Amino acid sequence: MKTTILGATGFVGQRFIQLLQGHPWFEVTVLAASERSVGKTYADAAHWLMDTSRPDAVGQKTVVACTPEAVEKAGGVDVVFSCLPNELAGPTEEAFARAGLPVISKASAHRMDADVPLIIPEVNPDHDGLIAAQRKARGWSGFISCDPNCSTTPLALTLKPLLPFGVKRVHVTTLQGLSGAGYPGVASLDALGNVVPYIGGEEEKIERETGKILGRLHPEQSRIETAKIEVSASCNRVPVLEGHLENVFVEFDSDVSVSQVREAWDQFQGAIHGLKLPSAQPPIVYRDEPNRPQHRLDVLTGKGMSTTVGRLRSDGPRRIKYACLSHNTIQGAAGGAILHAEVLKANGALG
Ligand SMILES: NC(=O)c1ccc[n+]([C@@H]2O[C@H](COP(=O)([O-])OP(=O)(O)OC[C@H]3O[C@@H](n4cnc5c(N)ncnc54)[C@H](OP(=O)(O)O)[C@@H]3O)[C@@H](O)[C@H]2O)c1
């Protein structure tokens, strides 16, 4: 299928280009970005930041505007990946859905819309059942399906296998890598040798999104019944390049042992297990060493598509605590969105 990336010159856009190189189902055919880049070759417009070479064919493409008309003029596509700034993504993604295209979005603009799925492929791919209701309500033949915030992903993923124990309350403290702020991101004088205990809007996103992802698709497939879990987040920017590490404290309705939790994670294969999707990796990998996971050692586990978990211990009656780590621009952004598109294709939602 032919794809476009809206925001192709940014950090996440580049990760999409890197991960889609040689993909068996999706080919990057149109690159779109801001007026600053439109009309330039991608090589001139984008300051390439990936650790593999920029594909030659991509470098020679001319960047177009983020409108359905410009993308159509450049050859047209079947699928849209959006990694636009949040404030711009809302109306732009709607224009593409109205033009009949499926939009897989990394931006936050539509994540909490009642008729828009918010999907982690291994956790709640069935929420794509909302797409029909969205089309009907909005009168468009395309659709928008969103990915969560990059710091929500490892939290919701590691909580999913624990839901049968009755998860009641969750506290999470994050240590988030610099690439989470895009490029050029946090000024070096703020970032180096420093920890900044504030990331605008991040805590609210984790607190809101987790319940929607862990919720249940209503039998009429018209809305999500949000999981009744109290989530409180505290977010920190730390001077590592990639990876968000999280210290998670969970309180259950009743007593749960550490070994029960460990067994639940070990047995968790994810909702897409068996579909043999090209980007799928083991969703959760547990490490027994007392000092793991670590950004430098574990962030690329499962090609950056696995959440590494460790330090599971009791925190008193009905409570446990653990640490988890996820690659924010692979599992938490481009890789997660590509897997999301793969599951939609496998389920027939991409046509
Ligand atoms: N970084 C992460 O780890 C991460 C993880 C999950 C989700 N996200 C989300 O993904 C999105 C992109 O993040 P990023 O880190 O890639 O940001 P970024 O590096 O700042 O890239 C922003 C992209 O948007 C384009 N853009 C900016 N203003 C535009 C406009 N007015 N019209 C059209 N295009 C415009 C830029 O194009 P020009 O180069 O032409 O300016 C660039 O391609 C954001 O919504 C972010 O919240 C990021």
Side-chain angles (χ1 to χ4, degrees):
M1 299 183 98
K2 294 196 288 181
T3 69
T4 185
I5 301 165
L6 310 179
T9 49
F11 202 96
V12 175
Q14 296 186 23
R15 191 64 84 186
F16 269 111
I17 289 169
Q18 182 191 49
L19 296 178
L20 286 171
Q21 198 179 7
H23 192 281
W25 299 353
F26 303 119
E27 183 192 0
V28 179
T29 56
V30 183
L31 303 166
S34 78
E35 285 305 317
R36 185 191 69 78
S37 306
V38 169
K40 295 182 185 168
T41 63
Y42 185 80
D44 286 341
H47 174 60
W48 187 253
L49 292 156
M50 298 297 110
D51 53 1
T52 52
S53 302
R54 185 190 59 232
D56 286 342
V58 167
Q60 289 159 18
K61 281 186 186 294
T62 301
V63 178
V64 306
C66 292
T67 64
E69 297 76 20
V71 169
E72 182 61 31
K73 202 168 155 207
V77 297
D78 307 302
V79 180
V80 176
F81 289 113
S82 167
C83 47
L84 288 170
N86 297 318
E87 56 284 4
L88 189 80
T92 307
E93 293 171 357
E94 287 170 23
F96 279 91
R98 207 173 295 117
L101 287 164
V103 180
I104 318 295
S105 174
K106 269 316 310 171
S108 64
H110 289 292
R111 280 182 198 147
M112 297 310 294
D113 291 5
D115 58 355
V116 172
L118 180 59
I119 287 180
I120 298 174
E122 298 93 335
V123 173
N124 61 335
D126 60 309
H127 288 198
D128 69 1
L130 281 180
I131 289 171
Q134 182 193 127
R135 282 181 160 145
K136 194 165 169 219
R138 310 220 190 190
W140 55 34
S141 53
F143 64 84
I144 300 169
S145 191
C146 287
D147 276 11
N149 183 267
C150 43
S151 50
T152 307
T153 300
L155 181 67
L157 183 63
T158 52
L159 290 176
K160 172 73 178 177
L162 311 186
L163 293 185
F165 303 130
V167 176
K168 183 176 169 189
R169 193 172 290 127
V170 177
H171 288 186
V172 57
T173 297
T174 70
L175 300 107
Q176 303 185 214
L178 294 169
S179 63
Y183 186 80
V186 186
S188 58
L189 285 184
D190 290 330
L192 285 173
N194 200 17
V195 173
V196 181
Y198 174 71
I199 303 175
E202 197 82 355
E203 294 167 357
E204 295 81 355
K205 287 178 194 163
I206 300 174
E207 291 167 1
R208 279 196 306 259
E209 294 172 13
T210 305
K212 180 171 180 182
I213 294 162
L214 297 177
R216 212 171 59 99
L217 180 65
H218 187 273
E220 287 170 9
Q221 307 215 328
S222 53
R223 63 191 165 84
I224 303 297
E225 290 167 349
T226 305
K228 304 247 175 308
I229 301 172
E230 195 184 310
V231 180
S232 175
S234 180
C235 294
N236 301 275
R237 186 72 73 197
V238 298
V240 296
L241 184 56
E242 303 264 34
H244 294 348
L245 189 130
E246 305 186 348
N247 295 124
V248 186
F249 304 77
V250 187
E251 185 181 339
F252 298 95
D253 289 330
S254 52
D255 277 342
V256 180
S257 69
V258 161
S259 57
Q260 281 176 297
V261 170
R262 178 63 196 277
E263 196 184 341
W265 282 331
D266 286 347
Q267 289 181 354
F268 181 71
Q269 295 183 310
I272 54 171
H273 182 71
L275 293 179
K276 297 202 184 329
L277 301 178
S279 304
Q281 292 286 334
I284 293 175
V285 174
Y286 192 89
R287 294 213 63 117
D288 285 305
E289 300 92 325
N291 60 353
R292 304 286 276 272
Q294 293 183 21
H295 282 85
R296 221 182 316 157
L297 302 179
D298 299 310
V299 79
L300 281 172
T301 301
K303 298 183 180 170
M305 287 294 284
S306 302
T307 289
T308 309
V309 189
R311 301 218 63 218
L312 171 63
R313 58 240 194 257
S314 169
D315 195 30
R318 303 182 181 185
R319 296 205 303 256
I320 56 129
K321 51 186 173 180
Y322 61 93
C324 58
L325 171 74
S326 169
H327 196 302
N328 56 292
T329 64
I330 301 182
Q331 185 180 39
I338 294 167
L339 188 60
H340 181 169
E342 290 170 5
V343 75
L344 290 179
K345 182 162 163 44
N347 291 346
L350 293 188

